[in-house]
């Protein structure tokens, strides 16, 4: 191929690079796009490649494990289209495996213990929540500030970690009260313009947690109602998942296919992780329940607070 229009940089979101150029390629030969730019960036770095010819644009996600995109001998228009759905399933699966904050949140949810079916219900609540906001964001119906979403993901981890300890020892009434007081203080700081999370959002979270705590009191199995927490915070995580598809700038004709494929990949990854982690987690909870809940929750709490502070006030 010969360069018809030299590469030029275009406007892109913070932390992203967008480069466009035009090539004149022979249609009678096999073509291949290959990227060798995965060695220097951090692990999980992705390239969204778009080939736009006279027929229709085609997209492919390139990663460190898949650097090449073979194109059809019959021309670019026929290249890769049948496999695009599978590509987004693989992207969703890879995203949940490399999305460390999402993995920590799932781990915090599972620390409540219970039967495998009960944990599936908790994960299903998370699934319902993030599926809703993933669709809203990709279809461009709701687009919250990305920095605030990332900070709230950290907060969700910290709040679930605190609730783990309270569910294990309901007598520690200072835990929910301290949590409400902390959220109120952060909300007041937001009123004075500190942080990326709006004060109204802090108020909504506070109201939800107060109601959740009141509903949990007196229940014989408080962890059984935990799907509500998973559902609420799943709404936040869905906007985090959506950033991958939003930044790919897919044409409208591919949005539904990409949305379904990516969501299926995320769910397959979650189910696989749950199936792998549940036996070991059940063994640890049966042998040393208090230590497992307390140390596991302390680990999640520290990471959640770190992500909240670094993302909200940086």
């Amino acid at each position: 191929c010969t360069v018809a229009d030299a590469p030029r940089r275009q406007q892109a979101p913070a932390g992203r690079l967008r480069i466009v150029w035009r090539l004149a390629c022979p249609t009678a030969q096999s073509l291949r796009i290959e990227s060798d730019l995965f060695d220097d960036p951090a692990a999980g770095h992705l390239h969204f490649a778009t080939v736009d010819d006279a027929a229709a644009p085609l997209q492919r996600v390139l990663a460190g494990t898949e650097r090449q995109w073979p194109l059809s001998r019959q021309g670019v228009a026929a290249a890769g289209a049948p496999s695009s759905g599978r590509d987004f399933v693989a992207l969703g699966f890879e995203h949940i495996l490399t999305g460390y904050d999402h993995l920590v949140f799932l781990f915090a949810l599972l620390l409540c213990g219970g039967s495998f079916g009960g944990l599936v219900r908790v994960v299903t609540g998370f699934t319902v929540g993030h599926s809703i906001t993933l669709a809203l964001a990709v279809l461009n119906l709701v687009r919250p500030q990305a920095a605030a979403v990332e900070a709230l993901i950290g907060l969700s981890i910290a709040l679930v970690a605190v609730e783990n300890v309270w569910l294990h020892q309901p007598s520690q009434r200072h835990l929910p009260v301290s949590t409400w007081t902390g959220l109120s203080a952060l909300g007041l700081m937001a009123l004075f313009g500190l942080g990326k999370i709006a004060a109204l959002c802090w108020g909504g979270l506070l109201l939800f947690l107060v109601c959740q705590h009141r509903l949990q009191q007196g229940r014989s199995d408080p962890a059984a109602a935990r799907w509500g927490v998973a559902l609420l915070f799943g709404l936040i995580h869905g906007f985090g998942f959506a950033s991958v598809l939003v930044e790919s700038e897919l044409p409208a004709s591919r949005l539904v296919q990409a949305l379904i494929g990516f969501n299926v990949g995320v769910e397959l990854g979650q189910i696989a992780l749950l199936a792998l982690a549940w036996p070991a987690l059940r063994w640890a909870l049966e042998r040393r329940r208090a230590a497992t809940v307390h140390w596991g929750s302390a680990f999640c709490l520290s990471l959640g607070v770190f992500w909240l502070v670094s993302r909200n006030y940086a």
Side-chain angles (χ1 to χ4, degrees):
C1 299
T2 59
V3 178
D5 189 4
R8 62 187 186 278
R9 183 170 178 172
Q10 293 190 343
Q11 184 177 2
R16 303 290 184 265
L17 181 65
R18 177 179 173 85
I19 297 177
V20 176
W21 67 96
R22 188 171 297 278
L23 304 173
C25 299
T27 58
Q29 299 181 13
S30 296
L31 302 174
R32 183 181 73 235
I33 293 177
E34 182 175 352
S35 176
D36 290 326
L37 299 177
F38 293 102
D39 294 332
D40 294 334
H45 182 72
L46 300 175
H47 290 171
F48 295 94
T50 301
V51 176
D52 190 357
D53 72 342
L58 300 170
Q59 294 79 31
R60 187 71 172 261
V61 180
L62 302 178
T65 56
E66 188 175 359
R67 304 181 177 210
Q68 297 184 0
W69 180 11
L71 301 177
S72 170
R73 283 182 177 272
Q74 287 72 36
V76 172
S83 64
S84 59
R86 292 192 297 272
D87 291 338
F88 281 102
V89 171
L91 177 62
F93 192 91
E94 181 179 354
H95 186 69
I96 191 63
L97 295 182
T98 58
Y100 303 116
D101 47 4
H102 303 300
L103 291 180
V104 173
F105 179 75
L106 286 173
F107 174 68
L109 285 174
L110 299 182
L111 281 173
C112 66
S115 65
F116 183 79
L119 294 180
V120 169
R121 286 193 293 272
V122 173
V123 174
T124 299
F126 181 60
T127 296
V128 172
H130 74 63
S131 297
I132 293 172
T133 47
L134 176 62
L136 291 174
V138 171
L139 297 176
N140 201 26
L141 297 176
V142 180
R143 286 281 181 86
Q145 185 184 5
V149 169
E150 295 299 321
L152 285 170
I153 289 174
L155 176 65
S156 70
I157 297 169
L159 293 177
V160 169
V162 172
E163 190 184 49
N164 282 338
V165 179
W166 177 74
L167 288 177
H168 184 254
Q169 293 181 316
S171 59
Q172 298 189 19
R173 300 181 182 276
H174 67 280
L175 286 176
V177 175
S178 300
T179 302
W180 304 337
T181 303
L183 291 178
S184 300
L186 292 173
L188 288 174
M189 293 170 60
L191 285 175
F192 292 95
L194 297 176
K196 300 178 177 65
I197 302 175
L200 184 61
C201 184
W202 289 112
L205 284 170
L206 176 62
L207 177 61
F208 173 83
L209 291 174
V210 170
C211 295
Q212 172 75 3
H213 177 259
R214 296 303 185 191
L215 289 173
Q216 294 282 43
Q217 287 183 322
R219 295 180 62 96
S220 58
D221 184 13
R226 210 168 188 215
W227 62 268
V229 175
L231 174 63
L232 173 75
F233 291 132
L235 296 171
I236 299 170
H237 284 250
F239 287 121
F241 287 140
S243 62
V244 176
L245 295 182
V246 169
E247 291 162 6
S248 66
E249 298 182 354
L250 295 169
S253 60
R254 295 288 183 86
L255 282 179
V256 174
Q257 182 186 34
L259 179 62
I260 294 175
F262 184 82
N263 210 29
V264 168
V266 169
E267 299 321 308
L268 291 176
Q270 290 182 167
I271 294 172
L273 290 170
L274 176 59
L276 289 173
W278 181 68
L281 180 61
R282 183 180 61 176
W283 178 86
L285 289 172
E286 290 176 350
R287 295 293 185 99
R288 300 283 299 276
R289 183 176 184 84
T292 300
V293 172
H294 288 176
W295 285 105
S297 298
F299 169 76
C300 296
L301 177 62
S302 61
L303 284 177
V305 171
F306 169 75
W307 282 323
L308 168 64
V309 174
S310 61
R311 296 170 177 177
N312 192 47
Y313 300 106

